[in-house]
Short mmCIF file of all heavy atoms in Angstrom, two decimals:
data_model
loop_
_atom_site.label_atom_id
_atom_site.label_comp_id
_atom_site.label_asym_id
_atom_site.label_seq_id
_atom_site.Cartn_x
_atom_site.Cartn_y
_atom_site.Cartn_z
N LYS A 168 1.99 -0.40 9.26
CA LYS A 168 1.39 -0.20 7.94
C LYS A 168 2.46 -0.28 6.86
O LYS A 168 2.70 0.63 6.12
CB LYS A 168 0.70 1.17 7.89
CG LYS A 168 -0.41 1.32 8.88
CD LYS A 168 -1.74 0.83 8.32
CE LYS A 168 -2.81 0.85 9.38
NZ LYS A 168 -3.83 -0.16 9.21
N GLU A 169 3.08 -1.38 6.77
CA GLU A 169 4.15 -1.55 5.81
C GLU A 169 3.87 -2.82 5.04
O GLU A 169 2.93 -3.53 5.32
CB GLU A 169 5.50 -1.70 6.53
CG GLU A 169 5.81 -0.61 7.49
CD GLU A 169 6.59 0.53 6.84
OE1 GLU A 169 7.45 0.23 6.00
OE2 GLU A 169 6.30 1.68 7.13
N ALA A 170 4.72 -3.05 4.07
CA ALA A 170 4.56 -4.28 3.31
C ALA A 170 4.69 -5.48 4.24
O ALA A 170 4.13 -6.53 4.00
CB ALA A 170 5.59 -4.36 2.20
N ALA A 464 2.03 -5.24 -1.46
CA ALA A 464 1.10 -4.34 -0.78
C ALA A 464 1.60 -2.92 -0.91
O ALA A 464 2.77 -2.64 -0.69
CB ALA A 464 1.00 -4.73 0.69
N LEU A 465 0.72 -2.01 -1.32
CA LEU A 465 1.11 -0.62 -1.53
C LEU A 465 0.07 0.29 -0.90
O LEU A 465 -1.07 -0.11 -0.72
CB LEU A 465 1.17 -0.33 -3.04
CG LEU A 465 2.21 -1.08 -3.85
CD1 LEU A 465 1.88 -1.01 -5.33
CD2 LEU A 465 3.59 -0.51 -3.59
N PRO A 466 0.47 1.51 -0.58
CA PRO A 466 -0.55 2.43 -0.08
C PRO A 466 -1.51 2.83 -1.21
O PRO A 466 -1.13 2.77 -2.38
CB PRO A 466 0.26 3.63 0.39
CG PRO A 466 1.56 3.54 -0.30
CD PRO A 466 1.81 2.10 -0.61
N LYS A 467 -2.71 3.21 -0.85
CA LYS A 467 -3.68 3.67 -1.85
C LYS A 467 -3.08 4.81 -2.65
O LYS A 467 -2.39 5.66 -2.11
CB LYS A 467 -4.95 4.16 -1.16
CG LYS A 467 -5.97 3.07 -0.96
CD LYS A 467 -7.37 3.55 -1.33
CE LYS A 467 -8.32 2.38 -1.45
NZ LYS A 467 -8.92 2.03 -0.17
N GLY A 468 -3.35 4.84 -3.97
CA GLY A 468 -2.84 5.92 -4.80
C GLY A 468 -1.51 5.58 -5.45
O GLY A 468 -0.97 6.35 -6.23
N ALA A 469 -0.99 4.39 -5.13
CA ALA A 469 0.31 4.00 -5.69
C ALA A 469 0.21 3.77 -7.20
O ALA A 469 -0.85 3.42 -7.72
CB ALA A 469 0.79 2.73 -5.00
N THR A 470 1.32 4.00 -7.89
CA THR A 470 1.38 3.84 -9.34
C THR A 470 2.29 2.67 -9.69
O THR A 470 2.97 2.13 -8.81
CB THR A 470 1.97 5.12 -9.98
OG1 THR A 470 3.31 5.29 -9.48
CG2 THR A 470 1.14 6.35 -9.61
N ILE A 472 5.06 2.80 -10.87
CA ILE A 472 6.42 3.16 -10.47
C ILE A 472 6.68 2.69 -9.03
O ILE A 472 7.71 2.10 -8.73
CB ILE A 472 6.64 4.68 -10.60
CG1 ILE A 472 6.53 5.09 -12.07
CG2 ILE A 472 7.99 5.09 -10.02
CD1 ILE A 472 6.48 6.58 -12.30
N ASP A 473 5.69 2.94 -8.16
CA ASP A 473 5.82 2.46 -6.78
C ASP A 473 5.92 0.94 -6.74
O ASP A 473 6.69 0.37 -5.99
CB ASP A 473 4.59 2.89 -5.96
CG ASP A 473 4.53 4.39 -5.79
OD1 ASP A 473 5.45 4.94 -5.17
OD2 ASP A 473 3.57 5.00 -6.28
N PHE A 474 5.08 0.33 -7.58
CA PHE A 474 5.07 -1.12 -7.65
C PHE A 474 6.46 -1.64 -8.02
O PHE A 474 7.01 -2.53 -7.37
CB PHE A 474 4.04 -1.58 -8.69
CG PHE A 474 3.91 -3.06 -8.82
CD1 PHE A 474 2.96 -3.76 -8.09
CD2 PHE A 474 4.74 -3.78 -9.68
CE1 PHE A 474 2.84 -5.13 -8.20
CE2 PHE A 474 4.63 -5.16 -9.80
CZ PHE A 474 3.68 -5.84 -9.06
N TYR A 476 9.39 -0.26 -7.76
CA TYR A 476 10.38 -0.09 -6.69
C TYR A 476 10.10 -1.01 -5.51
O TYR A 476 11.00 -1.41 -4.79
CB TYR A 476 10.47 1.37 -6.25
CG TYR A 476 11.36 2.17 -7.16
CD1 TYR A 476 10.84 3.03 -8.11
CD2 TYR A 476 12.75 2.02 -7.10
CE1 TYR A 476 11.66 3.74 -8.97
CE2 TYR A 476 13.59 2.72 -7.95
CZ TYR A 476 13.04 3.58 -8.88
OH TYR A 476 13.86 4.26 -9.72
N ALA A 477 8.82 -1.34 -5.29
CA ALA A 477 8.49 -2.25 -4.19
C ALA A 477 9.01 -3.65 -4.50
O ALA A 477 9.40 -4.38 -3.60
CB ALA A 477 6.99 -2.27 -3.95
N THR A 480 14.64 -2.38 -6.17
CA THR A 480 15.15 -1.10 -6.64
C THR A 480 15.62 -1.20 -8.09
O THR A 480 15.37 -0.29 -8.89
CB THR A 480 16.31 -0.64 -5.75
OG1 THR A 480 15.84 -0.64 -4.41
CG2 THR A 480 16.74 0.77 -6.10
N TRP A 522 9.65 11.62 -12.18
CA TRP A 522 8.93 10.49 -11.59
C TRP A 522 8.72 10.65 -10.10
O TRP A 522 7.82 10.06 -9.52
CB TRP A 522 9.71 9.20 -11.82
CG TRP A 522 9.49 8.62 -13.17
CD1 TRP A 522 8.90 9.24 -14.24
CD2 TRP A 522 9.84 7.32 -13.60
NE1 TRP A 522 8.88 8.39 -15.30
CE2 TRP A 522 9.46 7.21 -14.94
CE3 TRP A 522 10.46 6.24 -12.97
CZ2 TRP A 522 9.66 6.05 -15.66
CZ3 TRP A 522 10.67 5.09 -13.70
CH2 TRP A 522 10.27 5.00 -15.03
N GLU A 523 9.61 11.42 -9.50
CA GLU A 523 9.49 11.58 -8.06
C GLU A 523 8.09 12.07 -7.71
O GLU A 523 7.52 11.69 -6.69
CB GLU A 523 10.54 12.57 -7.57
CG GLU A 523 10.96 12.31 -6.15
CD GLU A 523 11.85 13.39 -5.60
OE1 GLU A 523 12.79 13.79 -6.32
OE2 GLU A 523 11.59 13.85 -4.48
N GLY A 524 7.53 12.90 -8.59
CA GLY A 524 6.19 13.43 -8.35
C GLY A 524 5.10 12.41 -8.61
O GLY A 524 3.95 12.61 -8.20
N LEU A 525 5.43 11.33 -9.30
CA LEU A 525 4.41 10.33 -9.63
C LEU A 525 4.36 9.22 -8.59
O LEU A 525 3.42 8.45 -8.52
CB LEU A 525 4.69 9.69 -10.99
CG LEU A 525 4.74 10.62 -12.19
CD1 LEU A 525 5.01 9.82 -13.46
CD2 LEU A 525 3.45 11.40 -12.32
N ALA A 526 5.42 9.14 -7.79
CA ALA A 526 5.49 8.06 -6.82
C ALA A 526 4.88 8.51 -5.50
O ALA A 526 4.95 9.68 -5.15
CB ALA A 526 6.95 7.66 -6.60
N VAL A 527 4.25 7.58 -4.79
CA VAL A 527 3.71 7.93 -3.48
C VAL A 527 4.48 7.27 -2.34
O VAL A 527 4.38 7.70 -1.21
CB VAL A 527 2.20 7.59 -3.34
CG1 VAL A 527 1.39 8.28 -4.42
CG2 VAL A 527 1.96 6.09 -3.37
N THR A 528 5.23 6.22 -2.67
CA THR A 528 5.96 5.56 -1.59
C THR A 528 7.32 6.22 -1.39
O THR A 528 7.96 6.65 -2.33
CB THR A 528 6.19 4.06 -1.90
OG1 THR A 528 6.80 3.95 -3.18
CG2 THR A 528 4.89 3.29 -1.90
N GLY A 529 7.71 6.29 -0.13
CA GLY A 529 9.00 6.87 0.21
C GLY A 529 10.13 6.12 -0.44
O GLY A 529 11.11 6.70 -0.90
N LYS A 530 9.97 4.81 -0.52
CA LYS A 530 11.04 3.98 -1.10
C LYS A 530 11.29 4.37 -2.54
O LYS A 530 12.43 4.55 -2.97
CB LYS A 530 10.64 2.50 -1.01
CG LYS A 530 11.73 1.62 -1.58
CD LYS A 530 11.43 0.15 -1.47
CE LYS A 530 12.62 -0.62 -2.03
NZ LYS A 530 12.39 -2.03 -2.16
N ALA A 531 10.21 4.51 -3.32
CA ALA A 531 10.35 4.86 -4.73
C ALA A 531 10.96 6.25 -4.87
O ALA A 531 11.88 6.46 -5.66
CB ALA A 531 8.99 4.79 -5.43
N ARG A 532 10.47 7.19 -4.08
CA ARG A 532 10.98 8.56 -4.19
C ARG A 532 12.46 8.65 -3.90
O ARG A 532 13.21 9.29 -4.63
CB ARG A 532 10.22 9.47 -3.23
CG ARG A 532 8.83 9.74 -3.71
CD ARG A 532 8.17 10.72 -2.81
NE ARG A 532 6.83 10.97 -3.31
CZ ARG A 532 6.00 11.80 -2.74
NH1 ARG A 532 6.37 12.47 -1.68
NH2 ARG A 532 4.80 11.98 -3.25
N ALA A 533 12.85 8.01 -2.81
CA ALA A 533 14.27 8.05 -2.43
C ALA A 533 15.12 7.41 -3.52
O ALA A 533 16.17 7.93 -3.88
CB ALA A 533 14.47 7.34 -1.10
N ALA A 534 14.63 6.29 -4.06
CA ALA A 534 15.40 5.58 -5.08
C ALA A 534 15.51 6.41 -6.36
O ALA A 534 16.55 6.42 -7.01
CB ALA A 534 14.75 4.22 -5.38
N ILE A 535 14.43 7.11 -6.71
CA ILE A 535 14.46 7.94 -7.92
C ILE A 535 15.46 9.09 -7.74
O ILE A 535 16.27 9.38 -8.62
CB ILE A 535 13.05 8.49 -8.25
CG1 ILE A 535 12.12 7.35 -8.67
CG2 ILE A 535 13.12 9.55 -9.35
CD1 ILE A 535 10.65 7.68 -8.60
N ARG A 536 15.39 9.71 -6.58
CA ARG A 536 16.34 10.80 -6.30
C ARG A 536 17.77 10.29 -6.42
O ARG A 536 18.62 10.92 -7.05
CB ARG A 536 16.12 11.35 -4.89
CG ARG A 536 15.15 12.51 -4.83
CD ARG A 536 15.32 13.29 -3.53
NE ARG A 536 15.09 12.46 -2.35
CZ ARG A 536 13.89 12.25 -1.83
NH1 ARG A 536 12.83 12.82 -2.35
NH2 ARG A 536 13.73 11.50 -0.76
N LYS A 537 18.00 9.13 -5.84
CA LYS A 537 19.35 8.58 -5.84
C LYS A 537 19.80 8.27 -7.27
O LYS A 537 20.91 8.58 -7.67
CB LYS A 537 19.35 7.29 -5.01
CG LYS A 537 20.74 6.85 -4.62
CD LYS A 537 20.69 5.66 -3.68
CE LYS A 537 22.01 4.93 -3.72
NZ LYS A 537 21.89 3.53 -3.36
N ALA A 538 18.89 7.67 -8.05
CA ALA A 538 19.24 7.27 -9.41
C ALA A 538 19.48 8.49 -10.30
O ALA A 538 20.39 8.50 -11.12
CB ALA A 538 18.14 6.40 -10.00
#
Side-chain angles (χ1 to χ4, degrees):
K168 299 272 174 210
E169 306 269 321
L465 296 163
K467 270 225 166 87
T470 62
I472 295 169
D473 294 297
F474 182 93
Y476 278 104
T480 306
W522 279 13
E523 208 188 314
L525 301 181
V527 303
T528 53
K530 181 177 182 189
R532 286 185 180 181
I535 292 163
R536 268 199 300 274
K537 196 174 159 206

